[in-house]
Amino acid sequence: MTEALCDRRPEPSLERLLADLVPPPRFARARLDNYVPDPDFPSQEQAKQRVGEFAAALGAPRAGFLSRLRKKKPAAARGIYLDGGFGVGKTHLLTSLFHAVEGDRVYGTFVEYTDLVGALGFQRAVDLLGESVLVCIDEFELDDPGDTLLMTRLIRELSDRGVAIVATSNTLPDALGEGRFAAQDFLREIQAMAERFEVLRIDGEDYRRRNGVTEIATLPEDEVRSSAETMPGATLDEYDALLTHLTKVHPSRYGAMIDEVSAAHVTGMHGLTHHHDALRFVVLVDRLYDREVPMLISLAGGTDPGTLEDLFSAELLRSGYRKKYFRALSRLASLARDGGALLSSGAADAAS
């Protein structure tokens, strides 16, 4: 019988949470050498060069412990904020930096750090992360005031300890002409330490769209079910049941929930109109994307292949969470394309 994600209720240990603070599988091989800037957008090459310089500077010898004790106030830590639209290579550059720097360093999404603080307590998290040379924060979120204040305080205390912080966030596609939309929000929130951050604006097109991924492709339900039943390690879930299950599992555990899943099959997908369902589904899509788990999906009542339209309602896309929703649409389109390719590959193998 095919397993369902709805059957899984992971209880990851603290050790697991800490072990997960590394770049996800999708970007494990990302290096500056294989980041290929788009020549139509010079800011990509400029960001690549600056990140390389930043990595080299972090490799310079740091002051010894006694030397730091003699200082009345530690030197302001260096930091970079990578600002740009979806799919322009910010995460690639961030993981490249992680791999280019030696010593203790950690990498996680904004949500993973807030979860870690929740599990450890604030001061213990500061003490633990404060031993790092570099803290990488992907997908810095500005839509929840409480979490934003928590993270800016964490960044400030780590920076005061001499820890370099590098963060990324998304500028909405329709805000690219407005100047540093996300950067302005970020710097306003951390104005007490804004002078410590260098903002690098990265322009460009979503590479997933350059690869032809523009729509969320769906399959007939019988094909989705058949694939799930014959594919080792696959899961099969009905969409509404999955949304209900996500309310019972903390988002910090979604990564553990998809351990060893080869492909996620979901039937009966439809549009979402409420934030509580949409935001949980966004986190699941992010974790599936990070771990390169393809998705094969069918529409509610769908007997023919097609595309999923209006996954998020117009109201949701106008809300303060819109950056998350647009990112999820881009990533879900990519995952669905991977799922379709997986199905085609299986059919070709069966025919040969």
Side-chain angles (χ1 to χ4, degrees):
M1 182 177 178
T2 304
E3 187 180 11
L5 293 177
C6 289
D7 298 329
R8 298 184 169 199
R9 294 178 180 271
E11 297 284 347
S13 64
L14 176 58
E15 289 72 21
R16 167 65 190 269
L17 292 176
L18 295 175
D20 280 347
L21 291 180
V22 294
R26 181 173 292 274
F27 296 99
R29 296 175 294 280
R31 301 292 188 278
L32 286 175
D33 290 344
N34 55 35
Y35 176 78
V36 182
D38 187 335
D40 291 334
F41 298 94
S43 59
Q44 294 187 16
E45 175 63 34
Q46 293 165 5
K48 176 180 178 179
Q49 295 298 325
R50 184 65 190 96
V51 167
E53 295 167 358
F54 191 82
L58 283 181
R62 300 177 71 186
F65 179 69
L66 291 178
S67 176
R68 292 197 299 272
L69 281 181
R70 295 190 189 101
K71 295 181 180 179
K72 294 182 179 179
K73 182 179 180 181
R78 299 157 290 182
I80 288 180
Y81 178 75
L82 299 172
D83 176 49
F86 309 106
V88 297
K90 302 185 303 300
T91 299
H92 189 128
L93 289 172
L94 186 65
T95 53
S96 297
L97 174 63
F98 177 93
H99 291 298
V101 173
E102 297 183 354
D104 293 336
R105 66 265 195 254
V106 292
Y107 178 108
T109 64
F110 181 92
V111 172
E112 287 173 320
Y113 285 112
T114 58
D115 291 338
L116 183 68
V117 172
L120 292 176
F122 184 84
Q123 192 56 51
R124 189 179 176 195
V126 170
D127 292 340
L128 180 67
L129 297 175
E131 298 298 318
S132 305
V133 174
L134 171 69
V135 169
C136 299
I137 307 173
D138 201 18
E139 302 167 9
F140 197 98
E141 306 288 3
L142 294 163
D143 43 40
D144 184 291
D147 283 346
T148 300
L149 290 174
L150 172 70
M151 283 299 294
T152 52
R153 180 188 170 199
L154 179 68
I155 289 173
R156 185 166 58 250
E157 296 212 15
L158 292 175
S159 179
D160 286 343
R161 295 190 182 202
V163 179
I165 311 290
V166 179
T168 75
S169 190
N170 290 315
T171 295
L172 282 169
D174 61 1
L176 290 175
E178 299 174 9
R180 292 172 178 169
F181 175 85
Q184 289 174 351
D185 290 348
F186 176 78
L187 295 179
R188 181 172 59 250
E189 292 292 343
I190 60 167
Q191 55 186 327
M193 53 175 288
E195 72 278 0
R196 306 184 192 183
F197 276 82
E198 174 184 359
V199 176
L200 297 181
R201 175 54 183 265
I202 308 177
D203 300 297
E205 299 176 352
D206 186 339
Y207 78 92
R208 289 175 287 263
R209 292 184 177 273
R210 295 201 303 269
N211 291 338
V213 183
T214 59
E215 297 179 328
I216 302 171
T218 68
L219 299 162
E221 182 173 330
D222 59 348
E223 290 189 20
V224 174
R225 291 185 177 279
S226 176
S227 171
E229 291 167 359
T230 58
M231 186 183 301
T235 57
L236 175 63
D237 290 270
E238 196 278 325
Y239 187 51
D240 284 328
L242 178 60
L243 293 177
T244 298
H245 182 64
L246 294 181
T247 68
K248 303 173 183 177
V249 179
H250 192 276
S252 65
R253 300 175 181 179
Y254 289 4
M257 189 170 66
I258 62 172
D259 279 351
E260 301 180 2
V261 172
S262 60
H265 297 67
V266 181
T267 62
M269 285 193 66
H270 55 76
L272 298 170
T273 58
H274 299 289
H275 287 301
H276 57 272
D277 286 331
L279 290 172
R280 293 188 189 97
F281 188 65
V282 164
V283 176
L284 179 62
V285 169
D286 284 342
R287 300 292 79 79
L288 290 167
Y289 183 81
D290 287 344
R291 288 159 176 76
E292 299 182 302
V293 179
M295 290 190 73
L296 292 87
I297 61 179
S298 69
L299 295 174
T303 57
D304 298 314
T307 58
L308 175 59
E309 306 289 347
D310 302 322
L311 175 60
F312 303 115
S313 69
E315 182 180 358
L316 294 183
L317 293 178
R318 289 193 299 266
S319 73
Y321 298 107
R322 60 194 185 279
K323 286 189 287 184
K324 290 184 178 182
Y325 296 145
F326 278 111
R327 182 183 71 225
L329 289 172
S330 175
R331 290 182 168 186
L332 185 56
S334 180
L335 293 175
R337 184 195 64 168
D338 293 344
L342 190 64
L343 188 62
S344 299
S345 175
D349 290 343
S352 62

